[in-house]
Amino acid sequence: MTVTELKELIWRYYMSYWNNRRICSANDGLPPMVKRQQYYSSLQESA
């Protein structure tokens, strides 16, 4: 594996973690992805 490939692999993992799986206290302890799903499902229910 080259250094460039390794950097890309690390970057993808970091962005995936940061945007989808991390626990966020501002979201009542939910990961951002779960909070987004709740938000969009509430929009569909109200429509």
Side-chain angles (χ1 to χ4, degrees):
M1 184 176 284
T2 65
V3 174
T4 306
E5 291 172 338
L6 182 60
K7 284 181 181 181
E8 185 177 334
L9 186 65
I10 292 170
W11 178 252
R12 284 185 189 178
Y13 175 79
Y14 172 76
M15 291 309 291
S16 173
Y17 172 79
W18 187 257
N19 290 326
N20 298 316
R21 296 189 305 249
R22 70 185 163 94
I23 301 299
C24 186
S25 62
N27 292 340
D28 299 325
L30 297 172
M33 184 174 65
V34 174
K35 192 66 172 179
R36 266 183 257 133
Q37 288 172 344
Q38 289 177 349
Y39 172 73
Y40 289 122
S41 67
S42 72
L43 288 178
Q44 290 176 351
E45 290 172 3
S46 64

